[in-house]
Amino acid sequence: MKHIKVGDLMTDEVVAVVSATSFKDVAKLLAQHDVSGLPVVDDEDRVVGVVSESDLLIRQAAPVAAASSEASPVAEVTAGEVMSTPAVTIHAEETAADAARLMTRRSVERLPVVDEEERLVGIVTRRDLLRLFLRPDSEIRRRVTDDVLGDTLGVHAEAVEVHVIDGVVTLSGVVDRQSQVPVLIRLVEQLEGVVAVASAVTGRVDDSSLAPRARTPQSMPW
């Protein structure tokens, strides 16, 4: 079954900085582009870190060495000094669910998207992922009928009625085998944008009793 990929959601026109970019210029870029974080790249566009509003605020709040005349003023601090590293990245072919799990596990709000050579090609944010739950009901219904019923399970569209209201999917109808019903429900629940599934689907043949029985010592050939 098709899943929404990171490449389908990411912003490919990414504002990035290099390690030598000054604190002040990073702050300006964050404000100008209304973003909360920027990837930091090297000379070959490989991601070496991420600098965020939080990184800047932490540095700004840090006490300045009062007795040191060599202490750099805030404006001279660079992105490389305040960035979070190593960067948590993801590849474009990974799924939106993979991205959501990674963001949650690593407690980050954005993921630079990289190619096979770890070069920056885009960025995906929590806001991008949240858009999945605003998918039109018509799009969710199309994915249920085309991707789940048609492509994955090989069920005729007329066999199952699909209604979607505010992300809640209601299924009714008859499929060939009872064993297809839990599979159908599970696949629909996994679709991006689906909030809940209510099913009244039944199977013409109850094939649950046709599962092979466990072999006993008495039935084993010796």
Side-chain angles (χ1 to χ4, degrees):
M1 187 177 63
K2 298 175 184 175
H3 287 280
I4 300 296
K5 300 295 182 65
V6 169
D8 299 323
L9 295 173
M10 71 179 189
T11 300
D12 53 11
E13 295 183 2
V14 190
V15 181
V17 297
V18 297
S19 294
T21 304
S22 72
F23 182 108
K24 186 174 182 179
D25 287 339
V26 170
K28 283 182 178 179
L29 287 170
L30 291 173
Q32 288 172 0
H33 296 277
D34 191 25
V35 294
S36 59
L38 300 171
V40 183
V41 298
D42 62 14
D43 293 338
E44 297 181 348
D45 278 343
R46 291 189 174 89
V47 181
V48 296
V50 173
V51 60
S52 68
E53 291 175 334
S54 298
D55 296 322
L56 298 186
L57 291 172
I58 290 171
R59 181 58 184 246
Q60 194 172 32
V64 178
S68 175
S69 60
E70 297 177 2
S72 300
V74 170
E76 295 179 7
V77 174
T78 64
E81 294 177 68
V82 298
M83 68 182 182
S84 299
T85 186
V88 182
T89 62
I90 195 166
H91 291 90
E93 64 272 14
E94 296 188 60
T95 68
D98 292 332
R101 283 191 289 267
L102 184 57
M103 284 184 184
T104 301
R105 188 168 67 250
R106 302 298 295 271
S107 299
V108 296
E109 296 185 2
R110 69 201 62 78
L111 295 170
V113 184
V114 297
D115 61 15
E116 296 78 6
E117 297 182 1
E118 303 302 314
R119 292 176 301 196
L120 182 68
V121 295
I123 195 163
V124 63
T125 66
R126 289 188 178 185
R127 185 181 302 174
D128 296 325
L129 296 179
L130 286 173
R131 288 209 313 265
L132 292 177
F133 292 95
L134 301 177
R135 297 179 71 81
D137 290 340
S138 58
E139 172 64 12
I140 295 174
R141 184 182 185 281
R142 185 196 65 76
R143 295 202 65 203
V144 173
T145 55
D146 295 354
D147 296 350
V148 177
L149 292 171
D151 294 347
T152 304
L153 297 178
V155 174
H156 292 296
E158 300 79 14
V160 176
E161 291 187 12
V162 181
H163 299 282
V164 185
I165 300 176
D166 294 334
V168 178
V169 181
T170 302
L171 307 171
S172 60
V174 181
V175 294
D176 291 337
R177 302 183 305 280
Q178 186 64 32
S179 61
Q180 291 178 297
V181 176
V183 177
L184 168 62
I185 296 172
R186 184 172 67 253
L187 291 176
V188 174
E189 287 175 337
Q190 292 174 353
L191 288 176
E192 293 86 358
V194 171
V195 176
V197 178
S199 174
V201 177
T202 59
R204 291 189 182 88
V205 177
D206 185 359
D207 55 346
S208 57
S209 61
L210 301 179
R213 292 180 300 175
R215 304 182 73 176
T216 64
Q218 290 79 10
S219 66
M220 295 289 288
W222 297 101

